[in-house]
Amino acid sequence: MPQERTNRALDEWRAIAHSARRPADPPRPGPTSSQLLSVVGTAVAAVAVVAVLVLAGRPPQGPATPSAAAIGSAAVPSASASQPATPSSAPVTMASPTNGPSPMQSPTGPSPSQGPARAALTPAEAAAVVTAYTQELVAGQYAKAWGRLGDASKSGYGSLAAYTSERSAYFASVKGRYRVEVSPPGLASIDTWLTAIPGGGAGIDPAGSVLVEVTYPLIEPSNQFDVYIVARVGGSVLIFIAR
Amino acid sequence: MTAAADGSYRQAYERHWDDVFRFLLAWTNDWSAAEDLTQEAYVRLWRNRERVDWDRPIVAWLLVTGRRLAASRYQRLRRVVHATHFDESWDEAARIRWMDVRQSLGRLTKTERTALLLTAVEGWSYAEVAQAVGTSDGALRAAVSRARAKLEV
């Protein structure tokens, strides 16, 4: 029995799959966060032991200052051991603007250092935009949907033709069934998803953007959702495809 | 021991990356997912490099690990991000070509697709694919027949 379609699909798959290039170096990740915590914990425990030994060996009437200095310097290595965890401390720094105006700021308005007022997108606005976009895809209005995308996402597809080809194939299986959810629990942070956008999401302000997930119940689980970052860019509300 | 494990790990990467990637590409039908899962499978191997038995074929360990990661990926590990929809080096013709193939193969189940592609294209034995997929030799043969029939419709 001739199997032309099968053989053609197999030939195409072979050509494409064999074009994959292995990255030069294998992944060699550092210790996991739990291992880091273990390292830090061990260092802290060691410092505590040193402190106890120093205090135990000192006459009770002796000044406390030298032993405190010893503890302080001993703590430095443990702090450097936790250096890879620096990103986790970043939000603390970033959170400082939310601490309210300093006593030096004028009570009548924002300080100049706060920059221009940001027209942050509301979750409802973002949900409405994504719902309209998804409805357009369901209705086969690909050019209209394309117009809602940010440049970075358009460049990810390359052209409206490529976008239409991919989305039409996908939405044929969606069969009009979808669910829009704003910032669902369990999804990674918007900063993480920004890295999935071509160009790293340059020009998108994560603080003024909203993460929206659309799930499609009729699609197989491994491929049944899209993740979008909705942002205001240059006065327009645009959709950036993160997944 | 560490140096030996490091050497074995590097060798496993250079020798089996293609097999692991193509298996996961067949299994997921998703280029980005296959890349990510292959990477994740090797990360797991790296973290277990002192514990795995390097005297046994490590490719089987990688394939089963990759398949398990794929199963849990979207249900429990949605924190994993897809970097791109395509290989960034592709031109538009290649993208459209891949989307056509993907659409065509998307009509098959994971097992049917993997069984057909790996036996017919990659030349794996039924036993090798059955072990990676976690099914029997007989079930895999039936899956290949179904896959061919579906693609001809």
Side-chain angles (χ1 to χ4, degrees), chain A residues 3 5-6 12 15 18 20 22-29 156-157 159 166 185 196 213 220-223, chain B residues 9-10 13 17 21-22 31 46 74-75 78 81-83 92 95 97 99 101-102 105 110 122 148 152-153:
Chain A
Q3 298 216 322
R5 289 183 185 175
T6 302
E12 288 285 311
H18 286 228
R22 165 171 56 81
D25 294 313
R28 296 174 189 272
Y157 274 99
S159 70
E166 195 273 339
E213 182 184 44
E220 66 174 85
S222 66
N223 195 29
Chain B
Y9 174 71
R10 158 68 73 173
Y13 182 74
W17 187 93
F21 172 77
R22 288 171 198 163
W31 190 276
W46 171 253
Y74 299 99
Q75 301 304 317
R78 288 196 301 166
V81 169
H82 282 250
E92 187 176 342
R95 291 180 183 193
R97 200 165 143 214
M99 286 187 288
V101 175
R102 188 179 178 219
L105 295 171
K110 289 178 189 301
E122 300 301 322
R148 287 186 176 278
E152 290 304 316
V153 173

Side-chain angles (χ1 to χ4, degrees), chain A residues 126-127 130 180-184 210-214 226-230:
Chain A
V130 170
V180 176
E181 201 175 352
V182 175
S183 304
V210 179
L211 197 63
V212 181
E213 182 184 44
V214 182
D226 284 320
V227 176
Y228 303 115
I229 292 171
V230 187

Side-chain angles (χ1 to χ4, degrees), chain A residues 1-32 35 155-159 161-163 165-170 172 184-189 192-193 195-198 213 215 220-226 241-243, chain B residues 6 9-10 13-15 17-18 21-23 25-31 33 35 38-40 42-43 46-47 70 74-75 78-88 90 92 94-108 110 113 116-118 120-122 147-149 151-153:
Chain A
M1 172 174 128
Q3 298 216 322
E4 289 178 14
R5 289 183 185 175
T6 302
N7 291 336
R8 199 164 52 238
L10 295 179
D11 287 343
E12 288 285 311
W13 191 87
R14 176 188 292 111
I16 294 168
H18 286 228
S19 73
R21 291 289 169 263
R22 165 171 56 81
D25 294 313
R28 296 174 189 272
T32 62
Q35 288 169 325
S155 70
Y157 274 99
S159 70
Y163 172 78
S165 175
E166 195 273 339
R167 289 285 80 185
S168 60
Y170 188 85
L187 208 57
S189 71
T192 304
W193 287 103
T195 64
I197 295 174
E213 182 184 44
T215 49
E220 66 174 85
S222 66
N223 195 29
Q224 72 174 174
F225 68 98
D226 284 320
I241 301 171
R243 195 271 173 189
Chain B
D6 286 2
Y9 174 71
R10 158 68 73 173
Y13 182 74
E14 292 174 350
R15 190 174 289 178
W17 187 93
D18 286 346
F21 172 77
R22 288 171 198 163
F23 167 73
L25 182 62
W27 186 252
T28 62
N29 204 27
D30 183 317
W31 190 276
E35 285 182 329
T38 303
Q39 181 86 350
E40 286 176 38
Y42 274 100
V43 167
W46 171 253
R47 289 192 173 138
Y74 299 99
Q75 301 304 317
R78 288 196 301 166
R79 292 169 186 280
V80 178
V81 169
H82 282 250
T84 58
H85 292 80
F86 309 104
D87 185 315
E88 287 179 342
W90 291 358
E92 187 176 342
R95 291 180 183 193
I96 291 173
R97 200 165 143 214
W98 165 241
M99 286 187 288
D100 287 344
V101 175
R102 188 179 178 219
Q103 184 181 5
S104 176
L105 295 171
R107 290 154 51 206
L108 310 180
K110 289 178 189 301
R113 191 169 53 237
L116 176 64
L117 291 170
L118 295 186
V121 176
E122 300 301 322
R148 287 186 176 278
L151 287 178
E152 290 304 316
V153 173

